[in-house]
Amino acid sequence: YYTLNGDIDLHKIVWNGQVASPTPSNLAFSAIAPTRAYDTRTGLGVTAGDVRSDTTRLIDLPAPASAQAALVNITVTNNAGWGFLEAWAPRSLRSTTSVVNVVQPGEDVANASVVTLDAQGRFVLHATMATDVVVDVLGWFSATPGTATAGRFVPVEPGRLIDTRQPAGAQLASGSNNPYVEAAGRVDLPVAGQLGVPAAADVSAAVVVLTALGTSAPQSGFATAHAGGSSAPDASNVNTNGNGDIRANLAVVPVGSDGSMSVTLARVDDVLVDVVGYFTTSSAPASASGLFTAVAPTRIYDERPKGPVGPPNPPPAPAGGTLTLDFDDAWILLPAVSGALAVLQNLTITATTGFDFVTAFPGGVVVPEVSNVNATGVDHTRAALAVTKLGPGSTVSYFTFGESMLIIDVFGYFRS
């Protein structure tokens, strides 16, 4: 019960329950230049001041009226200590998964996520620790009447496009000739026409895994991906914390008119770009293939002892070996994903024993020379969003280099 100033009435708050998270489907994607929409440090989109421990925030995005979900990059900075963030649709059941994890105070950690929006373009964020939070918008998912030309996802076999640790023009294992130019803290590279990606006129945005290798000095850094020929926006895709830190994150990058993208580096020594797919333009035929369906974030695999989901004893992800999951299996608990084109999943590694990385790839193929999430030391917890093509029988394989515990959360899927 409560009263109001200047009011003698007694009001009653009535609990009306929560509904299941919405699952909008047939969504086409529109990439935008990375746009900062929320920053608790500066007061952008909110009164300045950190998010207090174990509290929620309603994040209001500048979404177009048609948008039902958004691709965002969520960054934690100035955190007080160990913790994680959760994100879900307003007035729906709280998520049981995390989107960003931190271990040490003062870390800068970013991860991409797809968040379902309400009619006002909002989503809910919960922080388990006191921290500043930054939200950059990378694009919008909007409903279509059933088919679409532009905004459909097309996967390619994961392949490393560039590796600046090697000279430009050096042959990579993927077959790429490492086509990049680096000058004045920026790396320019073609994407269209490379590793299964078509010509520039047919690509609205490239879907890549962006891996940044931080400096050996104890200072944080970041990398920002943007359309080739454009200026770097006030946003970031991946953050490092110095001392040789290696971080990876999914990035969806609009391509320039020539089909290129750029990566602007700040206190980052090297960058890797792995291509996993692209979004179509209006030149593509109308189809339902590649349209997106969001699902309530669902944990399908947890290798930690007594994991809360899956079979009583989930198959381990062997160090130096490959775990394959079949999305047709009943225990996955996501029957709609069966037979899809690709799955959107958040990969988390925890309890690391040293250097480690995980590669997600279609079942039935050889492990590609790419990575989705990386760790560089003991007792790290790292998460990264991934878009992975399904292999024969709705299978996805996961190569784990080291002995980390693997956790897999599904956020949605792309129709076949």
Side-chain angles (χ1 to χ4, degrees):
Y1 294 87
Y2 66 96
T3 59
L4 299 174
N5 291 334
D7 185 333
I8 64 172
D9 295 329
L10 185 65
H11 304 269
K12 182 179 181 179
I13 299 174
V14 179
W15 171 250
N16 62 1
Q18 287 179 307
V19 299
S21 180
T23 57
S25 60
N26 280 353
L27 305 181
F29 182 72
S30 299
I32 64 172
T35 302
R36 183 145 295 172
Y38 187 90
D39 190 337
T40 61
R41 301 169 303 176
T42 63
L44 177 63
V46 65
T47 301
D50 63 357
V51 179
R52 295 189 177 184
S53 175
D54 202 24
T55 62
T56 59
R57 290 288 180 93
L58 190 63
I59 311 295
D60 195 348
L61 300 181
S66 61
Q68 297 188 28
L71 175 64
V72 296
N73 208 63
I74 302 174
T75 304
V76 166
T77 186
N78 302 323
N79 63 298
W82 178 93
F84 55 87
L85 301 185
E86 300 163 311
W88 69 95
R91 299 187 183 276
S92 66
L93 291 172
R94 175 176 168 177
S95 171
T96 59
T97 66
S98 58
V99 292
V100 183
N101 301 75
V102 291
V103 176
Q104 299 296 329
E107 283 190 282
D108 295 325
V109 180
N111 193 17
S113 183
V114 171
V115 290
T116 302
L117 306 175
D118 66 8
Q120 288 74 45
R122 303 173 301 186
F123 72 97
V124 178
L125 191 74
H126 172 250
T128 65
M129 69 296 182
T131 185
D132 279 308
V133 175
V134 180
V135 178
D136 299 325
V137 181
L138 305 181
W140 309 106
F141 287 93
S142 300
T144 68
T147 62
T149 56
R152 297 188 291 105
F153 176 68
V154 179
V156 300
E157 297 299 327
R160 179 146 295 167
L161 178 55
I162 68 158
D163 179 347
T164 64
R165 296 172 300 182
Q166 300 189 43
Q171 189 79 9
L172 304 181
S174 62
S176 171
N177 65 351
N178 215 22
Y180 72 88
V181 175
E182 182 174 4
R186 194 175 86 175
V187 177
D188 298 315
L189 60 144
V191 181
Q194 306 288 322
L195 299 183
V197 179
D202 300 320
V203 180
S204 64
V207 184
V208 303
V209 179
L210 180 63
T211 303
L213 287 73
T215 65
S216 57
Q219 57 181 341
S220 62
F222 61 91
T224 303
H226 50 102
S230 68
S231 300
D234 179 24
S236 63
N237 292 95
V238 62
N239 297 72
T240 60
N241 287 280
N243 299 312
D245 192 20
I246 302 174
R247 301 269 183 165
N249 198 6
L250 188 76
V252 179
V253 189
V255 297
S257 58
D258 61 352
S260 69
M261 61 175 279
S262 298
V263 183
T264 295
L265 309 178
R267 299 176 301 281
V268 167
D269 283 345
D270 285 293
V271 65
L272 319 177
V273 176
D274 301 329
V275 176
V276 297
Y278 65 94
F279 283 98
T280 59
T281 65
S282 58
S283 68
S287 174
S289 177
L291 296 180
F292 182 67
T293 295
V295 302
T298 303
R299 184 149 293 172
I300 66 163
Y301 182 85
D302 190 339
E303 193 183 2
R304 294 173 298 181
K306 298 180 182 179
V309 299
N313 296 297
T322 298
L323 164 75
T324 297
L325 298 182
D326 189 337
F327 280 77
D328 285 331
D329 287 344
W331 67 268
I332 295 292
L333 303 177
L334 285 170
V337 178
S338 175
L341 178 69
V343 63
L344 180 74
Q345 53 187 340
N346 198 63
L347 307 179
T348 304
I349 52 175
T350 190
T352 59
T353 59
F355 175 81
D356 202 356
F357 66 88
V358 173
T359 300
F361 58 99
V365 304
V366 177
V367 181
E369 187 197 21
V370 303
S371 62
N372 294 94
V373 59
N374 301 72
T376 53
V378 177
D379 288 333
H380 286 178
T381 298
R382 301 283 178 91
L385 191 66
V387 177
T388 312
K389 180 181 178 182
L390 293 179
S394 301
T395 55
V396 175
S397 293
Y398 306 86
F399 171 82
T400 306
F401 178 80
E403 298 179 352
S404 304
M405 298 291 181
L406 176 63
I407 302 167
I408 305 170
D409 301 321
V410 172
F411 289 175
Y413 61 92
F414 294 90
R415 290 183 54 178
S416 59

